Amino acid sequence: MTSVAVLGTGIMGAGMARSLLREGLDVTVWNRSADKAKPLADDGATVAGSAAEAVADADVVITMLFDIEPVLAVMADAAGSLRDDAVWVQASTVGIEGTRRVEAFAAEHGIDVLDAPVLGTKAPAENGKLVILASGPSALREKVAGAFDAMGARTQWVSETLGDGSRLKLAVNAWIGVMVNGIAQSIALARGLGLDPQQFLDAVEGQAVDAPYVQLKGKAMITGDYTPSFELDGVIKDTDLIRDALAEAGTATTLADAVADRLAVASAAGHGAEDMAAVVHGY
């Protein structure tokens, strides 16, 4: 049986751990705030007292943390306890420079590592329906196959170049940021013109410009239900990484700058810990 350690049990990490457990894998979890990890014991996980303890017997170690600094800090604590044959799956969204730092850290400590950010939010994480964007040595694929199959509807192996998964994740998240802001603008515009904003969703429903995401986030904006699946402040962090990537690629940052501006307004109004749909308060 594959043994998996999940370091970081926020919205995504907890969901991933539950999907691993549901498929019968041996799962140990750890979180800097222990209260977020303890509920997973009821699902069958072993709750470790430290990152080093969590990884000691793991075949696969998954990091799912907010950004690069906690990722490296946690792995610095855990590195000495990793088995020689363990594979580190770095699933946090840390951007291009962050992934370079992951690669350097792994090389320094002799750790086998895969870059594997995921597409999906709370429900896909808990239901094993994520899309895993993996990159790194193909020789490591078999070792992580069981864990990836448990967590994801599919795995897209982007390339053998570590970091290409994260590059693709930024391209996808750039689209998500634009889409959720486009929905927010149309909802706000309809409302500001004295219309019931539901009329906007009804007008596009079933058309080429519709998408499940349009209906999902649009309804949340109309009802004011911002139960977080992807926190707005997390989108701000990712948008900053996207702007850095656009600059490195020589691609205009104009649209990402506008997205960042509206997210910042909504966050400053007190919506940072709510779902990204709360960006409607930036319009």
Side-chain angles (χ1 to χ4, degrees):
M1 181 189 298
T2 300
S3 175
V4 184
V6 178
L7 306 181
T9 57
I11 290 173
M12 295 299 293
M16 292 159 73
R18 290 190 175 98
S19 290
L20 291 163
L21 288 161
R22 189 171 53 250
E23 294 302 314
L25 280 73
D26 181 11
V27 180
T28 301
V29 298
W30 173 85
N31 195 74
R32 288 171 295 174
S33 300
D35 288 347
K36 289 187 177 181
K38 288 177 181 177
L40 289 163
D42 294 335
D43 297 290
T46 299
V47 179
S50 68
E53 178 187 336
V55 306
D57 296 316
D59 301 303
V60 177
V61 174
I62 300 170
T63 46
M64 181 51 85
L65 298 154
F66 186 72
D67 57 19
I68 187 58
E69 299 304 338
V71 167
L72 294 181
V74 167
M75 287 305 294
D77 290 339
S81 299
L82 282 171
R83 288 172 20 191
D84 290 341
D85 61 347
V87 179
W88 172 21
V89 174
Q90 206 309 99
S92 319
T93 303
V94 299
I96 295 174
E97 181 58 31
T99 305
R100 290 180 182 134
R101 293 174 65 186
V102 165
E103 184 173 19
F105 180 95
E108 179 185 351
H109 292 84
I111 302 170
D112 288 331
V113 62
L114 289 171
D115 167 48
V118 301
L119 301 181
T121 53
K122 181 179 180 180
E126 294 195 338
N127 295 321
K129 299 299 183 182
L130 297 168
V131 174
I132 300 168
L133 305 178
S135 61
S138 59
L140 301 179
R141 294 185 186 184
E142 186 176 348
K143 291 186 175 183
V144 301
F148 282 13
D149 288 347
M151 296 185 297
R154 63 183 173 91
T155 298
Q156 182 170 333
W157 288 98
V158 182
S159 80
E160 293 207 17
T161 300
L162 195 79
D164 277 356
S166 282
R167 292 179 177 90
L168 182 56
K169 173 67 183 290
L170 295 177
V172 173
N173 275 17
W175 168 235
I176 292 171
V178 168
M179 184 161 53
V180 76
N181 273 269
I183 299 164
Q185 178 176 257
S186 289
I187 292 289
L189 177 59
R191 184 178 281 146
L193 292 174
L195 300 172
D196 177 353
Q198 180 62 42
Q199 296 267 20
F200 160 67
L201 296 183
D202 293 345
V204 301
E205 187 174 9
Q207 302 301 306
V209 294
D210 194 17
Y213 211 70
V214 172
Q215 298 296 327
L216 177 69
K217 294 303 179 184
K219 285 181 173 63
M221 292 172 189
I222 291 169
T223 63
D225 181 2
Y226 305 129
T227 303
S229 290
F230 187 179
E231 291 184 1
L232 189 143
D233 279 349
V235 185
I236 290 176
K237 183 266 295 184
D238 286 1
T239 302
D240 288 340
L241 296 175
I242 289 162
R243 291 199 286 177
D244 290 342
L246 287 165
E248 180 167 325
T251 305
T253 65
T254 309
L255 192 51
D257 292 341
V259 167
D261 177 72
R262 293 301 89 193
L263 289 165
V265 170
S267 181
H271 300 284
E274 297 174 345
D275 188 76
M276 69 173 109
V279 73
V280 71
H281 293 282
Y283 288 85

